[in-house]
Amino acid sequence: MARPSNFHAHLVDRLGREIVSGQIGLGGTLPREDELTAHFGVSRTVIREATKTLQALGLIVTGPRVGSRIQPVSAWRLLDPQVMGWITDADMASGFQRDLLELRGMIEPAAAGLAAERGTDEQIAEITAAMAAMVTAGDKRTHELADFRFHEAILEASGNLLLIQLKPILEAVLKASFGLSMHDLERTRASLAIHGVVTDAIVARDPERARRTMAELIAVARVDMESAYRTKPEAPKSAGTPTTDQRETSNAASRRKVGLTRA
């Protein structure tokens, strides 16, 4: 995930990542403003602006005499692309993948069925063009952009205004999915094959087959993401016995992971 360019956004990004990973706010509260200014080397004004943004994203709540407290994971704006990026980059991703796939399973098969039933010739041509772009993509980034367009075009072809309004959410979900997925040759071929079957069903205007094959596509994504998590390399272990702070950080991240999977 690309880092933000301006200073305020960079500080928000850094604080957000540290909160999500459990590196900061171990006791449920953020450090005092003077501690944060010393830690990040910025003014109180900059810290206050950053915490306002984090409050808007649901990560913290601020009140008089209590400071800034970390909110339960269920209160976070989980579908915000930035929050989703922090979660998928942290060790919470193993629980989050289930929720991502369940959400896709609710939205996308229905959209594919509606696209086969209602999509105009021009809209279906957009789906097939995105499919062709995935096949000819020469690198991972180009492939992902074509994949985004494929799923976006299916929502557009559904003809359902509420589903179309979900495009920004679906994009955030897909970005998180791609961040967790394996991208070796075998998995890429499996993904392309099932995308092609979905495309064929929509072109044939077969709603039931479109729904079924989109559900199968998401099942392939599930296997892909689970395989990626199982083969994820462990972080290097430091020599000697972990310090109290290291143990607390690990425990905090684990608690937040459990909270997320139950949210």
Coordinates of all heavy atoms in Angstrom, one line a residue, residues 157-190:
A157 N -23.4 -3.2 -14.6 CA -24.3 -3.9 -15.5 C -25.5 -4.5 -14.7 O -26.5 -5.0 -15.4 CB -23.6 -5.0 -16.2
S158 N -25.4 -4.6 -13.4 CA -26.5 -5.1 -12.6 C -27.8 -4.3 -12.8 O -28.9 -4.8 -12.6 CB -26.2 -5.2 -11.1 OG -26.2 -3.9 -10.5
G159 N -27.7 -3.0 -13.1 CA -28.8 -2.1 -13.2 C -29.5 -1.8 -11.9 O -30.5 -1.1 -11.8
N160 N -28.8 -2.2 -10.8 CA -29.4 -1.9 -9.4 C -28.6 -0.7 -8.8 O -27.4 -0.8 -8.6 CB -29.2 -3.1 -8.5 CG -29.8 -2.9 -7.2 OD1 -29.4 -2.1 -6.4 ND2 -30.8 -3.8 -6.8
L161 N -29.3 0.4 -8.6 CA -28.6 1.6 -8.2 C -27.9 1.4 -6.8 O -26.9 2.0 -6.6 CB -29.6 2.8 -8.1 CG -30.2 3.3 -9.4 CD1 -31.2 4.4 -9.2 CD2 -29.1 3.8 -10.3
L162 N -28.5 0.6 -6.0 CA -27.9 0.4 -4.6 C -26.6 -0.4 -4.8 O -25.6 -0.1 -4.1 CB -28.9 -0.2 -3.7 CG -30.1 0.6 -3.4 CD1 -31.0 -0.2 -2.5 CD2 -29.7 1.9 -2.7
L163 N -26.6 -1.4 -5.6 CA -25.4 -2.2 -5.9 C -24.3 -1.3 -6.5 O -23.1 -1.4 -6.1 CB -25.7 -3.4 -6.7 CG -26.4 -4.6 -6.1 CD1 -26.7 -5.7 -7.1 CD2 -25.5 -5.1 -4.9
I164 N -24.7 -0.4 -7.4 CA -23.7 0.4 -8.1 C -23.1 1.4 -7.1 O -21.9 1.7 -7.1 CB -24.4 1.2 -9.2 CG1 -24.8 0.3 -10.3 CG2 -23.5 2.3 -9.8 CD1 -25.7 0.9 -11.4
Q165 N -23.9 1.8 -6.1 CA -23.4 2.7 -5.0 C -22.3 2.0 -4.2 O -21.5 2.6 -3.5 CB -24.5 3.1 -4.1 CG -25.4 4.2 -4.7 CD -24.8 5.6 -4.8 OE1 -24.2 6.0 -3.8 NE2 -25.0 6.2 -5.9
L166 N -22.3 0.6 -4.2 CA -21.3 -0.1 -3.4 C -19.9 -0.2 -4.1 O -19.0 -0.8 -3.6 CB -21.8 -1.5 -3.2 CG -23.0 -1.6 -2.3 CD1 -23.5 -3.1 -2.2 CD2 -22.8 -1.1 -0.9
K167 N -19.7 0.4 -5.3 CA -18.5 0.3 -6.0 C -17.3 0.8 -5.1 O -16.3 0.0 -5.1 CB -18.5 1.1 -7.3 CG -19.3 0.5 -8.4 CD -19.0 1.1 -9.8 CE -19.4 2.5 -9.8 NZ -19.2 3.1 -11.2
P168 N -17.3 1.9 -4.4 CA -16.1 2.2 -3.6 C -15.8 1.2 -2.5 O -14.7 0.9 -2.2 CB -16.5 3.6 -3.0 CG -17.6 4.1 -3.9 CD -18.3 2.9 -4.4
I169 N -16.9 0.6 -1.9 CA -16.7 -0.4 -0.9 C -16.1 -1.6 -1.5 O -15.2 -2.2 -1.0 CB -18.1 -0.7 -0.2 CG1 -18.5 0.5 0.6 CG2 -17.9 -1.9 0.7 CD1 -19.9 0.3 1.2
L170 N -16.6 -2.0 -2.7 CA -16.1 -3.2 -3.3 C -14.6 -3.0 -3.7 O -13.8 -4.0 -3.5 CB -16.9 -3.6 -4.6 CG -16.4 -4.8 -5.3 CD1 -16.6 -6.1 -4.5 CD2 -17.2 -5.0 -6.6
E171 N -14.3 -1.8 -4.1 CA -12.9 -1.6 -4.5 C -12.0 -1.8 -3.2 O -10.9 -2.4 -3.3 CB -12.7 -0.2 -5.1 CG -11.3 0.1 -5.4 CD -11.1 1.5 -6.1 OE1 -12.1 2.2 -6.3 OE2 -9.9 1.8 -6.4
A172 N -12.5 -1.2 -2.1 CA -11.7 -1.4 -0.9 C -11.6 -2.9 -0.5 O -10.5 -3.3 -0.1 CB -12.3 -0.6 0.3
V173 N -12.7 -3.6 -0.6 CA -12.6 -5.0 -0.3 C -11.7 -5.8 -1.2 O -10.9 -6.6 -0.8 CB -14.1 -5.6 -0.4 CG1 -14.0 -7.1 -0.3 CG2 -14.9 -5.0 0.7
L174 N -11.7 -5.5 -2.5 CA -10.8 -6.1 -3.5 C -9.4 -5.8 -3.2 O -8.5 -6.7 -3.3 CB -11.2 -5.8 -4.9 CG -12.5 -6.4 -5.4 CD1 -12.9 -5.8 -6.7 CD2 -12.4 -7.9 -5.5
K175 N -9.1 -4.6 -2.9 CA -7.7 -4.2 -2.6 C -7.2 -5.0 -1.4 O -6.1 -5.5 -1.4 CB -7.6 -2.7 -2.3 CG -7.6 -1.8 -3.5 CD -7.5 -0.3 -3.1 CE -7.4 0.6 -4.3 NZ -7.3 2.0 -3.9
A176 N -8.0 -5.1 -0.4 CA -7.6 -5.9 0.8 C -7.4 -7.4 0.4 O -6.5 -8.0 0.8 CB -8.7 -5.8 1.9
S177 N -8.3 -7.9 -0.5 CA -8.2 -9.3 -0.9 C -6.9 -9.5 -1.7 O -6.2 -10.5 -1.5 CB -9.4 -9.7 -1.8 OG -10.6 -9.6 -1.1
F178 N -6.6 -8.6 -2.6 CA -5.4 -8.7 -3.4 C -4.1 -8.6 -2.5 O -3.2 -9.3 -2.7 CB -5.3 -7.6 -4.4 CG -6.3 -7.7 -5.5 CD1 -6.7 -6.5 -6.2 CD2 -6.9 -8.9 -5.9 CE1 -7.7 -6.6 -7.2 CE2 -7.8 -9.0 -6.9 CZ -8.2 -7.8 -7.5
G179 N -4.2 -7.8 -1.4 CA -3.1 -7.7 -0.5 C -2.8 -9.0 0.3 O -1.7 -9.2 0.7
L180 N -3.9 -9.9 0.4 CA -3.7 -11.1 1.1 C -3.5 -12.3 0.2 O -3.1 -13.4 0.6 CB -5.0 -11.4 1.9 CG -5.2 -10.4 3.1 CD1 -6.6 -10.7 3.6 CD2 -4.2 -10.6 4.2
S181 N -3.7 -12.1 -1.1 CA -3.6 -13.2 -2.0 C -2.2 -13.6 -2.5 O -1.3 -12.8 -2.5 CB -4.5 -12.9 -3.3 OG -5.8 -12.7 -2.9
M182 N -2.1 -14.8 -2.8 CA -0.9 -15.3 -3.5 C -1.0 -14.9 -5.0 O -2.1 -14.9 -5.5 CB -0.7 -16.8 -3.4 CG -0.5 -17.3 -2.0 SD -0.4 -19.1 -1.9 CE 1.1 -19.4 -2.8
H183 N 0.1 -14.7 -5.6 CA 0.1 -14.4 -7.1 C 1.1 -15.2 -7.8 O 1.7 -14.7 -8.7 CB 0.4 -12.9 -7.2 CG -0.7 -12.0 -6.7 ND1 -1.9 -11.7 -7.5 CD2 -0.9 -11.4 -5.5 CE1 -2.7 -11.0 -6.8 NE2 -2.1 -10.7 -5.6
D184 N 1.2 -16.5 -7.5 CA 2.1 -17.3 -8.3 C 1.4 -17.7 -9.6 O 0.2 -17.5 -9.8 CB 2.6 -18.6 -7.5 CG 1.4 -19.5 -7.0 OD1 0.3 -19.4 -7.7 OD2 1.6 -20.2 -6.1
L185 N 2.1 -18.4 -10.5 CA 1.5 -18.7 -11.8 C 0.3 -19.6 -11.7 O -0.7 -19.3 -12.4 CB 2.6 -19.3 -12.7 CG 2.2 -19.6 -14.1 CD1 1.8 -18.4 -14.9 CD2 3.4 -20.3 -14.8
E186 N 0.4 -20.6 -10.9 CA -0.8 -21.5 -10.8 C -2.0 -20.8 -10.3 O -3.1 -21.0 -10.8 CB -0.4 -22.7 -9.8 CG -1.5 -23.7 -9.6 CD -1.1 -24.8 -8.6 OE1 0.1 -24.8 -8.2 OE2 -2.0 -25.6 -8.3
R187 N -1.9 -20.0 -9.3 CA -3.1 -19.3 -8.7 C -3.6 -18.3 -9.7 O -4.8 -18.1 -9.9 CB -2.7 -18.6 -7.4 CG -2.2 -19.5 -6.3 CD -3.1 -20.7 -6.1 NE -4.5 -20.3 -5.9 CZ -5.5 -21.2 -6.1 NH1 -5.3 -22.4 -6.4 NH2 -6.8 -20.8 -5.9
T188 N -2.7 -17.6 -10.5 CA -3.2 -16.6 -11.5 C -4.0 -17.3 -12.6 O -5.0 -16.9 -13.0 CB -2.0 -15.9 -12.1 OG1 -1.3 -15.2 -11.0 CG2 -2.4 -14.9 -13.2
R189 N -3.5 -18.5 -13.0 CA -4.2 -19.3 -14.0 C -5.6 -19.7 -13.5 O -6.6 -19.6 -14.3 CB -3.4 -20.5 -14.4 CG -2.2 -20.2 -15.3 CD -1.4 -21.4 -15.6 NE -0.3 -21.1 -16.5 CZ 0.8 -22.0 -16.7 NH1 0.8 -23.1 -16.0 NH2 1.7 -21.6 -17.6
A190 N -5.7 -20.2 -12.3 CA -6.9 -20.6 -11.7 C -7.9 -19.4 -11.6 O -9.1 -19.5 -11.9 CB -6.7 -21.2 -10.3

